[in-house]
Amino acid sequence: MAKLSIRKISVIGRTSRLFNRYLQILAVFAKYGFNDLIERLKIMQYIEAGIQVFSSKRIISYDKLTRAERIRMAFEELGPTFIKFGQILSTRPDLIPVDLLRELSKLQDNISPRPYSEIREIIDEELGEFADIYFDEFDEIPLASASIGQVHRARLKDGQEAAVKIQRPGIRKVIQTDLDIMLHLAVFMENHIEEISFHRPVKIVEEFARVLEQEIDYIVEASNMERFSRNFAGDPFVYIPKVNRSATTERVLTMEFIRGVKLSVFGELPEYERSRRMVTRRGAQFFLKQVFDFGFFHADPHPGNIFILPDNVICLLDYGMIGMVDRNTRENFVDLIDHLVRRDEIGTAKILLKITIHGEEADDALEDIRPLERDVAEFMSHHLYKPLKEVEIGKVMQQLLELAGKHRLRIPPDLFLLMRAFGVIEGIARRLDPEFDMVENAAPFVEKIKIARYYPQRIADDFVRILSELMSFVELFPTEALNVVRLIKRRKLTVNIAHKELESVVAAHERTSNKISFAIVIASLIIGSALIVISNIPPLVF
């Protein structure tokens, strides 16, 4: 199957489908009050002279809506690709500002299902003979429908019930068209709008294409499920649905059908009241093991994806969005929690600088962290000087993210996914059990990671790694130095000098030169006029 790709559009209107979709996107953004943005892009001249894709009259009232809210509403109206775009962006604080990130996380992925006849065609294309080889029964009415695919209940030939996720017909063409247009708009934004170019819109679209490529490949999701199964194979309180590999392709995912109680329902029914505390503790332990033991966790654990099976067993569904954190990231996250809990302002500021991505605008923060320390101290005084059981780590992390944004520091996406999932799990747990204490439940995992740094085997491994890197450096240095000497002898060594803010110096120099030139011209005119007057050369007037 062809992979997704994005290409620059040299001429808008290459196809009628592309042209009409382009006009539709511009019209929707105009509807939500982004007329000024469209005008600043200067894009209308590339579409067709004089064409009007939007009315100057406001179609909706958005006076009381923030810019982030209007972007979210526009994405919802533009359909599956933009909804998925917004959902993925809501996990990337390194790419977009915090207020927009929070708003995009509200995007809902409920789309009207496609007709059964179209779904059957896809299954026939992917699996071959539909009825005779794989399924005895197949429900025509879907259980759920989202932007990328929809889920149907079926019965396999061996009598087992199955849930079959099928990719929506034509979704790849829709996504490809929208990606092409997104890239074109991103290029215009980067070239014409300074305040948006800071957020690197071209990079955002390219990253979106990469992530979406994985999400619409159901073989990747099946592999994620199998990895979870291996990680929790011996845990009696966790159940991962089995994947039917023979009936799974890039566009069709067949897995075990789960009969249980959705967590969103479980928390409301009175007959489960006695079990809620146990389920809360088991669910928290399940998540903490994912993060701290395996570094491979479910990044979208909302109540609709969590089922409670008999004997209070936890079962997770939908493994399309997965987070991965390496050992160093886990240790940094543990250090951050540890400094926060101990109310160490200086330590928190230093670890925050360590775990964030620094742009050029944050270089000063690395030299003088006192402003950051001051803000961290104020932040702690507002949120952490109360009993630890009352501290909501998820909310603290969200506030800390906003503090980092204030100092132009960006949280890496893998760490942010972890922080967001941490907050979601804590919020679900507190709704089930108001007395739940995430800090207390996480403490054993935190201590385990802190102690593991000093295991003899860990120290030996680190020493071997450092020694290996040192040996590589010693081995390569003479060769690299010799190459530099050769380039110098051949006069082929070039030095690239990057100037900063030289334009302002040049502009000031030009203004000064102009003033001097103007002064010389004026002085010359005055002197020349004086000489003419003194010489009394006729004709003389008055």
Side-chain angles (χ1 to χ4, degrees):
M1 182 176 294
K3 297 294 184 181
L4 289 176
S5 63
I6 48 179
R7 60 183 185 273
K8 294 182 179 179
I9 305 173
S10 57
V11 179
I12 303 302
R14 180 174 297 176
T15 66
S16 60
R17 176 172 58 86
L18 186 65
F19 178 75
N20 293 334
R21 179 60 173 165
Y22 213 118
L23 294 183
Q24 181 187 8
I25 290 171
L26 293 178
V28 169
F29 278 111
K31 172 182 175 181
Y32 287 96
F34 295 101
N35 310 56
D36 58 329
L37 177 65
I38 296 173
E39 290 174 3
R40 292 176 65 185
L41 287 177
K42 300 175 180 169
I43 202 169
M44 300 309 295
Q45 58 183 309
Y46 291 90
I47 296 180
E48 198 173 298
I51 194 167
Q52 296 296 321
V53 297
F54 56 90
S55 169
S56 58
K57 184 193 295 185
R58 292 178 178 176
I59 302 177
I60 65 168
S61 176
Y62 51 79
D63 293 335
K64 296 182 180 179
L65 299 174
T66 66
R67 191 175 185 87
E69 287 173 327
R70 288 184 280 127
I71 291 175
R72 189 254 305 162
M73 294 169 69
F75 279 14
E76 286 177 342
E77 186 165 332
L78 285 171
T81 310
F82 281 82
I83 290 175
K84 186 58 64 178
F85 183 44
Q87 290 174 333
I88 292 175
L89 279 183
S90 71
T91 69
R92 299 301 306 269
D94 58 320
L95 298 178
I96 62 173
V98 174
D99 60 332
L100 180 57
L101 180 144
R102 187 186 299 111
E103 193 63 33
L104 292 181
S105 66
K106 301 176 184 178
L107 282 169
Q108 298 298 311
D109 200 8
N110 298 317
I111 307 294
S112 300
R114 299 298 293 267
Y116 172 70
S117 58
E118 296 181 10
I119 295 301
R120 174 159 180 165
E121 285 181 10
I122 289 196
I123 295 181
D124 284 342
E125 291 174 8
E126 294 293 307
L127 302 180
E129 291 297 328
F130 174 76
D132 297 336
I133 297 179
Y134 296 104
F135 306 107
D136 271 339
E137 300 175 12
F138 197 95
D139 289 354
E140 297 187 10
I141 299 176
L143 298 171
S145 178
S147 57
I148 302 296
Q150 58 193 61
V151 181
H152 292 253
R153 191 198 69 85
R155 186 174 298 279
L156 301 175
K157 284 293 185 179
D158 60 7
Q160 295 291 322
E161 279 191 298
V164 186
K165 184 190 290 189
I166 305 99
Q167 201 171 101
R168 295 173 70 87
I171 190 65
R172 277 183 171 267
K173 289 183 179 179
V174 171
I175 291 174
Q176 186 66 70
T177 298
D178 285 349
L179 281 176
D180 290 340
I181 295 172
M182 282 180 180
L183 180 64
H184 194 253
L185 290 173
V187 170
F188 273 77
M189 289 179 183
E190 204 153 290
N191 291 338
H192 296 292
I193 305 178
E194 184 177 351
E195 61 270 28
I196 293 181
S197 65
F198 166 75
H199 298 294
R200 299 166 291 176
V202 172
K203 180 181 177 182
I204 291 177
V205 175
E206 291 172 346
E207 179 72 6
F208 172 52
R210 185 190 66 80
V211 173
L212 195 58
E213 176 61 46
Q214 294 185 351
E215 188 155 346
I216 64 175
D217 186 348
Y218 289 159
I219 293 178
V220 174
E221 183 172 349
S223 299
N224 292 338
M225 295 176 67
E226 290 170 342
R227 182 170 174 179
F228 262 87
S229 295
R230 290 192 298 270
N231 289 346
F232 291 93
D235 194 325
F237 307 129
V238 173
Y239 188 80
I240 310 298
K242 296 180 178 62
V243 178
N244 187 317
R245 276 285 186 174
S246 62
T248 294
T249 68
E250 287 188 1
R251 294 198 294 167
V252 175
L253 171 62
T254 304
M255 64 181 186
E256 179 183 359
F257 187 84
I258 297 299
R259 291 192 179 276
V261 181
K262 273 189 179 182
L263 191 63
S264 53
V265 177
F266 182 87
E268 302 295 331
L269 296 178
E271 58 263 36
Y272 298 114
E273 186 172 356
R274 292 184 179 181
S275 302
R276 287 175 194 163
R277 181 165 295 182
M278 180 184 296
V279 166
T280 302
R281 187 175 67 254
R282 288 180 178 178
Q285 292 293 309
F286 178 32
F287 174 72
L288 292 169
K289 285 180 182 179
Q290 293 175 41
V291 172
F292 295 113
D293 289 351
F294 305 111
F296 185 79
F297 61 95
H298 197 295
D300 190 23
H302 63 75
N305 281 341
I306 305 173
F307 278 69
I308 308 302
L309 308 184
D311 299 324
N312 298 318
V313 173
I314 311 293
C315 178
L316 269 174
L317 301 179
D318 194 355
Y319 292 80
M321 187 177 291
I322 295 296
M324 288 182 281
V325 285
D326 58 22
R327 186 182 67 184
N328 288 336
T329 303
R330 279 177 274 173
E331 290 180 352
N332 289 334
F333 184 65
V334 162
D335 288 339
L336 180 61
I337 294 177
D338 187 45
H339 287 303
L340 285 170
V341 170
R342 291 192 289 107
R343 303 179 180 94
D344 178 3
E345 297 98 341
I346 296 176
T348 301
K350 288 181 178 178
I351 194 65
L352 194 59
L353 282 174
K354 182 179 179 181
I355 65 177
T356 51
I357 301 170
H358 309 127
E360 292 181 1
E361 64 278 359
D363 286 344
D364 292 339
L366 295 172
E367 299 175 3
D368 183 9
I369 67 171
R370 285 174 294 179
L372 180 61
E373 290 175 357
R374 184 175 58 250
D375 285 351
V376 168
E378 183 179 353
F379 160 78
M380 287 184 169
S381 67
H382 290 162
H383 299 285
L384 295 174
Y385 283 92
K386 51 186 172 183
L388 285 179
K389 66 179 299 182
E390 297 179 13
V391 174
E392 296 185 46
I393 291 295
K395 290 185 178 179
V396 169
M397 292 294 177
Q398 180 64 34
Q399 296 290 326
L400 200 61
L401 178 64
E402 295 180 5
L403 178 62
K406 174 184 174 182
H407 288 268
R408 314 290 274 186
L409 305 174
R410 299 179 185 274
I411 302 292
D414 55 351
L415 186 58
F416 175 73
L417 273 179
L418 172 56
M419 294 169 69
R420 192 181 77 157
F422 211 95
V424 171
I425 288 294
E426 185 182 38
I428 293 172
R430 284 184 179 262
R431 284 198 295 272
L432 291 175
D433 178 12
E435 300 298 318
F436 176 78
D437 184 353
M438 180 60 100
V439 175
E440 180 183 354
N441 278 265
F445 294 92
V446 171
E447 289 300 318
K448 180 180 176 182
I449 290 209
K450 288 169 64 178
I451 294 172
R453 292 173 173 171
Y454 305 105
Y455 286 164
Q457 185 62 47
R458 167 69 183 278
I459 294 174
D461 291 343
D462 288 345
F463 178 76
V464 170
R465 177 180 54 82
I466 293 171
L467 185 61
S468 176
E469 292 176 356
L470 180 61
M471 292 299 294
S472 297
F473 171 75
V474 171
E475 182 181 353
L476 291 173
F477 180 76
T479 304
E480 296 297 331
L482 185 59
N483 288 335
V484 172
V485 172
R486 286 172 179 166
L487 289 173
I488 293 174
K489 290 177 67 176
R490 295 174 185 173
R491 298 182 180 180
K492 291 185 178 180
L493 183 67
T494 59
V495 179
N496 295 324
I497 300 176
H499 59 78
K500 293 183 179 180
E501 300 182 358
L502 188 59
E503 292 82 359
S504 59
V505 175
V506 172
H509 178 70
E510 288 179 351
R511 286 195 299 270
T512 303
S513 301
N514 290 337
K515 290 179 181 178
I516 293 173
S517 301
F518 187 67
I520 292 173
V521 171
I522 295 296
S524 301
L525 290 174
I526 293 173
I527 293 172
S529 300
L531 290 173
I532 292 174
V533 170
I534 292 172
S535 62
N536 290 320
I537 298 175
L540 300 175
V541 181
F542 303 114

